[in-house]
Amino acid sequence: MLNIILFGPPGSGKGTQALKLKLKYALIHISTGDIFRSEINSQSSLGEELKSYMDHGQLVPDELTFRVLKSYLGENDLEKSQGIIFDGFPRTIPQAEALDTFLAERKEPIQVVLSLLVNEDEVVKRIVLRGKSSGRSDDNDETIVRKRMQVYRDQTFPLAAYYTAQNKYVELNGEGSIEEVFTSLCNHINRTVALSEGADVI
Ligand code: B4P
């Protein structure tokens, strides 16, 4: 099993790259952002609650995130894949701890956390551009986008130290073209797989 976390600020390309990696490595793609947006589109009261946080650039509270994710996992069979790519999850230390517990029970820990480095002006530019066509209400207001960056720095970036302590955190340049970033991610993943198989990788 190949379990990977794609990490980075909003708009760093996690979703874009996760879709390509999912196809290449036959992984299940778990994006909490996508799961939340699908719940919002169903116009349920739970979706309304999720939207109230997302529209303000805030994280969905952990307890609510766990509830939605648990229900999603109950409906999807994880056994039929070569592994899982986590995109936008975990975003807080309690989320990371819960994920570690869940994967420890399955004896399939995270192998590598790949962090896409992109400067703030570039991510704001990308998200505002996406906002023109995505219809996402959290994308089309620069103030909200900057608030999401602040939330990332305060609540999510501490995970870099959490996974560094586990010797799993790898940073790479997320500012090249989509294909360049993809090649770089694949190189890191191939290296991780080779190391886990006992190869002598320099
Ligand atoms: P997400 O859905 O995770 O979205 P994101 O951070 O905006 O995007 P991502 O990094 O995936 O960027 P993308 O590839 O699309 O989160 C949305 C919200 O949901 C959060 O703010 C939060 O409220 C909530 N949420 C989600 N998970 C949560 C959790 N676990 N706990 C609590 N709350 C949670 O790329 C962005 C744009 O850049 C695209 O238009 C793309 O085409 C472009 N792009 C990508 N790579 C590029 C490149 N190399 N060059 C140029 N453009 C590029």
Side-chain angles (χ1 to χ4, degrees):
M1 292 286 277
L2 176 61
N3 289 335
I4 303 168
I5 293 174
L6 269 192
F7 187 78
S12 56
K14 303 182 298 289
T16 304
Q17 297 296 336
L19 290 175
K20 292 169 74 67
L21 293 170
K22 162 191 164 157
L23 289 177
K24 179 168 168 94
Y25 294 96
L27 303 173
I28 285 187
H29 174 206
I30 295 185
S31 158
T32 35
D34 287 351
I35 296 168
F36 293 160
R37 281 185 288 278
S38 144
E39 187 65 43
I40 291 170
N41 288 340
S42 76
Q43 299 188 322
S44 64
S45 58
L46 176 58
E48 281 291 301
E49 196 181 346
L50 295 168
K51 187 167 164 33
S52 68
Y53 295 105
M54 291 166 74
D55 279 0
H56 291 97
Q58 295 166 346
L59 291 185
V60 172
D62 288 337
E63 183 277 327
L64 192 51
T65 298
F66 294 144
R67 190 147 48 94
V68 176
L69 193 53
K70 231 171 158 179
S71 143
Y72 176 84
L73 292 175
E75 291 162 10
N76 287 270
D77 190 357
L78 300 184
E79 312 303 329
K80 290 184 187 147
S81 75
Q82 310 279 343
I84 306 172
I85 183 155
F86 293 93
D87 155 17
F89 180 87
R91 264 177 154 98
T92 63
I93 298 283
Q95 290 184 15
E97 290 170 344
L99 180 62
D100 276 351
T101 305
F102 172 75
L103 294 174
E105 281 163 9
R106 300 164 56 89
K107 298 194 174 42
E108 288 157 1
I110 292 294
Q111 270 123 318
V112 68
V113 178
L114 297 165
S115 173
L116 297 174
L117 300 182
V118 182
N119 80 66
E120 177 159 342
D121 287 341
E122 170 68 16
V123 295
V124 171
K125 199 173 85 191
R126 287 183 190 179
I127 293 178
V128 171
L129 184 70
R130 179 176 65 185
K132 291 186 179 152
S133 58
S134 68
R136 275 177 58 172
S137 41
D138 58 342
D139 275 355
N140 53 22
D141 178 339
E142 185 169 335
T143 314
I144 302 288
V145 175
R146 297 236 179 237
K147 159 88 180 159
R148 286 164 62 192
M149 289 301 297
Q150 185 63 45
V151 166
Y152 170 78
R153 280 193 292 274
D154 294 346
Q155 297 182 51
T156 304
F157 190 69
L159 290 177
Y162 179 91
Y163 286 111
T164 299
Q166 295 187 10
N167 212 13
K168 292 177 179 170
Y169 182 76
V170 177
E171 291 185 336
L172 44 95
N173 182 5
E175 289 191 7
S177 69
I178 289 173
E179 280 314 314
E180 283 166 346
V181 176
F182 181 61
T183 302
S184 169
L185 284 165
C186 292
N187 289 342
H188 281 285
I189 292 170
N190 294 342
R191 185 185 153 88
T192 302
V193 171
L195 281 171
S196 73
E197 288 169 352
D200 212 1
V201 179
I202 299 166

